[in-house]
């Protein structure tokens, strides 16, 4: 059986959305997820740098010309709302390409991390990246928040000072599309009067 060619991830630094630091981080997460499953992946800056027989993932902002070409051919219109994302199969310059697109930086981060999640947990990671029809998503809630409490120096200092914990924990929150985080310090011991639900007071 002939081995499938390696993947290429195209991220144009001149694209103000794709070239941002958060999208660079998300792209590295996708590369790591694929490498962990034994899939060779290279990062390139232009579609022209992708061999004709290689699979291509294009990470791009909605306003980029490359993303617009794929969206137009697929008949896909992205809503102009914060954090909107799209995963659209298509072709660009004669090459097969999967577009991971965001209306803004955070939307593109979520799109790229969706692919990383699929590659991590699918039984066949390459097939998990074969999107057959366009996927367009917008957030149901503009704020998606979680709070973590620090209430005990004995119980909580170990994780609070553990850098590797924070890296994995915050990465998990971003992958699950939380966009707010609240670190709560201390907890009250006395209940106020006439308040029936005072668990977090």
């Amino acid at each position: 059986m002939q081995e499938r060619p390696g993947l290429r991830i195209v991220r144009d630094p001149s694209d103000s959305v794709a070239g941002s630091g958060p999208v660079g981080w998300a792209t590295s997460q996708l590369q790591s997820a694929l490498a962990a499953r034994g899939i060779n992946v290279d990062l390139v800056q232009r579609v022209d740098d992708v061999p004709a027989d290689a699979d291509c993932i294009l990470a791009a902002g909605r306003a980029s010309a490359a993303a617009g070409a794929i969206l137009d051919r697929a008949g896909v219109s992205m809503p102009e709302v914060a954090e909107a994302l799209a995963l659209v199969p298509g072709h660009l310059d004669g090459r097969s390409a999967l577009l991971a697109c965001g209306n803004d930086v955070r939307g593109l981060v979520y799109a790229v991390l969706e692919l990383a999640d699929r590659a991590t947990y699918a039984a066949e990671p390459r097939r998990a990246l074969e999107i057959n029809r366009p996927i367009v998503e917008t957030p149901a809630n503009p704020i998606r928040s979680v709070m973590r409490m620090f209430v005990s120096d004995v119980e909580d200092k170990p994780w609070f000072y553990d850098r590797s914990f924070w890296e994995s924990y915050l990465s998990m929150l971003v992958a699950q599309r939380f966009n707010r985080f609240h670190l709560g310090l201390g907890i009250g011991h006395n209940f106020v009067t006439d308040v029936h639900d005072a668990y977090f007071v």
Side-chain angles (χ1 to χ4, degrees):
M1 180 181 295
Q2 184 177 5
E3 184 179 355
R4 292 183 65 173
L7 275 170
R8 302 296 191 278
I9 299 175
V10 181
R11 177 173 165 256
D12 184 352
S14 67
D15 180 340
S16 61
V17 173
S20 67
V23 173
W25 170 81
T27 302
S28 70
Q29 297 294 300
L30 176 56
Q31 286 181 284
S32 297
L34 292 167
R37 301 301 302 274
I39 298 174
N40 179 46
V41 57
D42 293 318
L43 182 64
V44 299
Q45 296 183 355
R46 301 179 306 163
V47 175
D48 290 344
D49 297 327
V50 179
D53 62 344
D55 293 326
C56 168
I57 297 172
L58 172 64
R62 180 184 61 84
S64 75
I70 292 178
L71 291 170
D72 288 346
R73 289 194 192 102
V76 174
S77 177
M78 282 188 64
E80 295 186 26
V81 300
E83 301 180 342
L85 66 89
L87 297 172
V88 182
H91 292 82
L92 193 63
D93 295 339
R95 295 167 176 81
S96 177
L98 170 62
L99 171 65
C101 186
N103 198 41
D104 52 17
V105 169
R106 199 172 288 165
L108 182 51
V109 166
Y110 294 151
V112 173
L113 292 182
E114 171 66 25
L115 296 178
D117 208 46
R118 291 171 180 242
T120 298
Y121 296 106
E124 298 181 49
R126 282 292 283 261
R127 294 195 64 182
L129 299 181
E130 295 174 1
I131 309 296
N132 295 320
R133 58 181 141 181
I135 297 171
V136 178
E137 296 182 354
T138 58
N141 299 306
I143 298 175
R144 303 172 302 280
S145 181
V146 65
M147 179 171 69
R148 187 175 184 90
M149 296 289 293
F150 184 108
V151 297
S152 166
D153 58 345
V154 175
E155 298 292 336
D156 296 327
K157 273 189 175 180
W159 60 259
F160 183 78
Y161 289 109
D162 185 349
R163 183 181 180 87
S164 64
F165 160 77
W166 283 110
E167 289 177 349
S168 61
Y169 179 66
L170 294 175
S171 296
M172 179 270 294
L173 292 183
V174 176
Q176 301 307 315
R177 304 186 192 177
F178 285 91
N179 60 11
R180 297 289 188 278
F181 172 74
H182 177 185
L183 177 62
L185 303 175
I187 188 168
H189 295 284
N190 298 317
F191 276 55
V192 296
T193 58
D194 300 322
V195 176
H196 300 292
D197 184 7
Y199 178 70
F200 282 129
V201 172

